[in-house]
Amino acid sequence: FTAFEEPVDRSGSQQPLPVWRGYCAVTGAELQDEDEENLLPPRVECLIFVVHGIGQYHRATSGTNPFYKEVDRVRKLATRYQLDRRQGDDADRQRGRIEFLPLEWYESIHVDVGIGNRLRNVTLPSVSSVRDFANFAISDIMVYLDDDWRERIHNELLKKMGRLWKLFTTRTKDYTGEVAIIGHSLGSVIMFDLMQKGLEKLPHGLHGSSPPGQRVPTVATLAPTAAFSPAARPKVLPNTPGSLDKPGLKAQAVKAEKSQGSAAKATGAAEEAAPELPVPRCLFAIGSPLGMFLSIRLSQNSQRASRYFRGLDVRWPAASSGQGWRFFNVFHPDDPIAYRIEPLLNSQYASIDPRVVPHFGGLRWNHKMRGWLSAVPTSFMGGEKEERVDAEAPSEDALLIPTEDPSSFFEEKKSKPQSTVAVDRIDYALQESAFESMNETLSAIHSHFAYWDSEDIIHFIVDQTMGALSQER
């Protein structure tokens, strides 16, 4: 598209306000980026929804780049890398491209209801910049922990995803229908919980219902169901944490329910036939606190963590490989909000380092130096290194997951042999630069919001998505 900048005179003594038709004024660099996108084939192999994390509303209202611009930067980096892949691999020349769309969820919290406006009235005036960010970042987490708010966010996100997917499918003639998700921070937890609503229908993969080797079409979909209706929500006692018996909030909820009821009556059966979309092929959790959320949830019941990953693609048994979905937990090693996932599935992996995301296909020089120093025999230092081989040590190439549920959270049955499946590694760590490795504190301050500028993580997402799509399920 082409954008034009036009000054518009406003009434009063205010200065003319420049506005743009389109997103912004088009520069030479942006025209070049658009030309690069035109070099990709029109066929779309996969549509990736990009979901933001905490504090996005504060970043958007404080003058920081809005979320769609961050997704646009991801699209540009992915476009250049896809062009590089097509030049070096004959198989990639036969494949289509990957498209990215932003998916925002903060409107239901900060725009529709305006929780942030109420927080401003009770916020202390000191260190205003820090308190403003805390209001929008911490409130996102607190709101999501409430059962009713969590279901409301899930319902609105599913409807929005369904509408976007249906619209994209209608307008894109050559589209395979495959979907993947990138979730940042709290957004990854939200999307992980949303996927739980469709994983029970998956016939293959981890804890699948179909026998190994039996090919059954994967028809599981995600869509708003009756579980999201106000009548189906769990009852909450008044005057308790998480209840709606608070000034303003209850009135807003009643008003929203009435508006939803009137809208449903007006649209009739068309509203009930909400758009559905397939279960995503890949879920990339970027800088995710999911490990903390799952640790808290698992402490309240005796269920294994693997039950949250039903349908996950397995490597062994080989008869079931390539038929499930894939999960990647990618983080910066200094990110204070990110947590690991693999030790929840197998506690022995707490002592095994996560896999390393390649830096342009290899290692940074500081990581190479670290590897050389660790490989120096200790005999040169005046000591002897004693090597021990543990036959029961887990593999570093794959993640071994016990699938037998224990009888108690505190005591497992040792007499009954446990079945084990092998899946691809889940935890992946970015390589910190030499400057970041010298000062972890400074690196921790910016690492959580620096993922969208990382070419390494964009290359990793493209590689893993294309690899998953190459296996038919």
Side-chain angles (χ1 to χ4, degrees):
F1 58 87
T2 304
F4 301 91
E5 180 180 357
E6 298 178 349
V8 178
D9 293 329
R10 302 181 63 183
S11 60
S13 59
Q14 297 181 354
Q15 297 295 327
L17 178 67
V19 297
W20 292 267
R21 292 178 181 172
Y23 287 115
C24 59
V26 176
T27 63
E30 291 170 340
L31 289 175
Q32 181 180 357
D33 293 334
E34 187 175 352
D35 293 338
E36 290 180 347
E37 291 188 11
N38 293 332
L39 296 177
L40 293 175
R43 174 182 173 84
V44 178
E45 292 288 347
C46 183
L47 172 64
I48 299 183
F49 290 102
V50 187
V51 187
H52 64 80
I54 60 175
Q56 187 61 43
Y57 181 73
H58 171 74
R59 291 167 59 85
T61 56
S62 62
T64 311
N65 283 341
F67 186 59
Y68 75 85
K69 286 191 176 181
E70 294 181 342
V71 177
D72 187 58
R73 185 162 57 249
V74 171
R75 183 185 296 109
K76 293 175 183 177
L77 294 175
T79 298
R80 296 169 187 171
Y81 183 60
Q82 291 180 77
L83 291 175
D84 293 340
R85 283 173 54 99
R86 294 176 63 84
Q87 294 177 0
D89 191 350
D90 293 336
D92 286 329
R93 297 192 185 98
Q94 307 299 326
R95 298 177 182 174
R97 59 188 172 91
I98 298 176
E99 186 57 66
F100 299 83
L101 286 181
L103 191 63
E104 298 176 339
W105 52 267
Y106 65 75
E107 299 100 327
S108 59
I109 299 176
H110 298 291
V111 178
D112 298 342
V113 179
I115 290 181
N117 296 329
R118 293 185 176 89
L119 288 176
R120 288 193 184 98
N121 297 330
V122 297
T123 301
L124 299 178
S126 59
V127 289
S128 58
S129 60
V130 179
R131 293 185 186 276
D132 286 342
F133 177 77
N135 282 346
F136 291 103
I138 299 179
S139 64
D140 289 345
I141 301 177
M142 301 303 295
V143 167
Y144 188 71
L145 292 177
D146 181 86
D147 293 337
D148 291 288
W149 272 108
R150 182 167 57 251
E151 291 299 322
R152 176 175 178 174
I153 293 173
H154 288 176
N155 188 24
E156 294 184 2
L157 264 182
L158 279 176
K159 289 181 178 179
K160 182 181 294 186
M161 290 177 61
R163 289 195 300 267
L164 290 175
W165 183 78
K166 184 177 181 180
L167 184 62
F168 187 86
T169 304
T170 304
R171 295 184 176 181
T172 308
K173 297 181 180 180
D174 196 359
Y175 170 46
T176 63
E178 293 286 357
V179 175
I181 293 176
I182 302 175
H184 175 235
S185 188
L186 182 61
S188 63
V189 180
I190 296 175
M191 301 313 298
F192 181 84
D193 291 342
L194 275 179
M195 288 196 62
Q196 303 302 311
K197 304 178 186 300
L199 298 185
E200 293 291 337
K201 308 173 187 177
L202 291 178
H204 300 295
L206 184 64
H207 298 299
S209 56
S210 297
Q214 181 178 352
R215 292 279 176 174
V216 180
T218 303
V219 295
T221 57
L222 296 176
T225 60
F228 296 113
S229 62
R233 293 177 182 175
K235 300 297 182 180
V236 183
L237 297 178
N239 299 322
T240 59
S243 69
L244 294 177
D245 193 16
K246 301 178 179 66
L249 183 58
K250 185 175 181 179
Q252 292 284 350
V254 173
K255 183 179 179 181
E257 291 178 4
K258 290 182 178 179
S259 62
Q260 292 175 358
S262 60
K265 293 179 181 179
T267 55
E271 178 68 17
E272 297 179 0
E276 296 184 354
L277 71 155
V279 172
R281 196 64 175 271
C282 299
L283 174 58
F284 298 90
I286 310 299
S288 173
L290 179 62
M292 178 182 65
F293 278 78
L294 290 181
S295 298
I296 297 174
R297 295 172 185 176
L298 292 172
S299 64
Q300 299 176 355
N301 55 64
S302 59
Q303 192 178 48
R304 282 194 180 274
S306 59
R307 291 293 176 178
Y308 286 93
F309 296 86
R310 179 184 295 272
L312 193 69
D313 191 18
V314 301
R315 293 175 55 179
W316 185 88
S320 300
S321 63
Q323 303 181 46
W325 63 288
R326 296 187 180 184
F327 179 76
F328 303 92
N329 181 40
V330 190
F331 52 86
H332 191 284
D334 298 333
D335 187 351
I337 301 181
Y339 290 80
R340 293 192 61 182
I341 298 295
E342 291 175 347
L344 296 177
L345 298 170
N346 189 335
S347 59
Q348 294 183 343
Y349 281 81
S351 58
I352 297 180
D353 294 333
R355 299 295 295 269
V356 177
V357 176
H359 175 66
F360 291 98
L363 296 175
R364 292 179 181 267
W365 69 268
N366 54 316
H367 284 259
K368 293 181 180 179
M369 185 69 68
R370 187 184 307 169
W372 293 337
L373 293 177
S374 61
V376 174
T378 55
S379 58
F380 294 162
M381 306 297 180
E384 295 183 358
K385 183 177 180 180
E386 183 180 359
E387 296 184 358
R388 296 181 180 180
V389 178
D390 188 358
E392 298 182 356
S395 171
E396 296 186 6
D397 296 330
L399 174 61
L400 304 180
I401 302 179
T403 58
E404 187 69 30
D405 284 331
S407 58
S408 172
F409 179 75
F410 300 99
E411 182 180 359
E412 298 184 5
K413 290 183 178 181
K414 300 297 184 181
S415 58
K416 184 178 180 179
Q418 294 186 355
S419 59
T420 303
V421 298
V423 302
D424 289 323
R425 294 289 301 271
I426 290 178
D427 292 337
Y428 289 84
L430 294 173
Q431 302 178 48
E432 68 270 27
S433 63
F435 175 77
E436 292 173 336
S437 61
M438 290 187 295
N439 194 321
E440 294 182 353
T441 303
L442 292 178
S443 176
I445 294 176
H446 81 281
S447 60
H448 187 67
F449 295 100
Y451 292 106
W452 306 128
D453 296 322
S454 173
E455 293 187 54
D456 295 344
I457 200 170
I458 303 304
H459 296 177
F460 177 81
I461 290 174
V462 172
D463 289 338
Q464 298 300 330
T465 302
M466 286 300 187
L469 296 176
S470 62
Q471 298 181 350
E472 298 183 359
R473 51 176 187 178

